[in-house]
Amino acid sequence: PADWPALTGGGLPTVRDAGFTEIAPGSCTVVADHPALR
């Protein structure tokens, strides 16, 4: 959890929720992290 802000704000590919569930719209739910993406 402590690394989440750095991962979501670091330019890596992310998935953002559309708001059709109980998760708030725009919430980042997935971050793709791989050495080739950095």
Side-chain angles (χ1 to χ4, degrees), residues 18-30:
F20 299 115
T21 65
E22 64 275 0
I23 298 173
S27 298
C28 182
T29 56
V30 177

Side-chain angles (χ1 to χ4, degrees), residues 3-4 6-13 31-38:
D3 294 336
W4 191 251
L7 287 170
T8 58
L12 293 169
V31 177
D33 190 13
H34 187 274
L37 296 173
R38 292 184 179 256

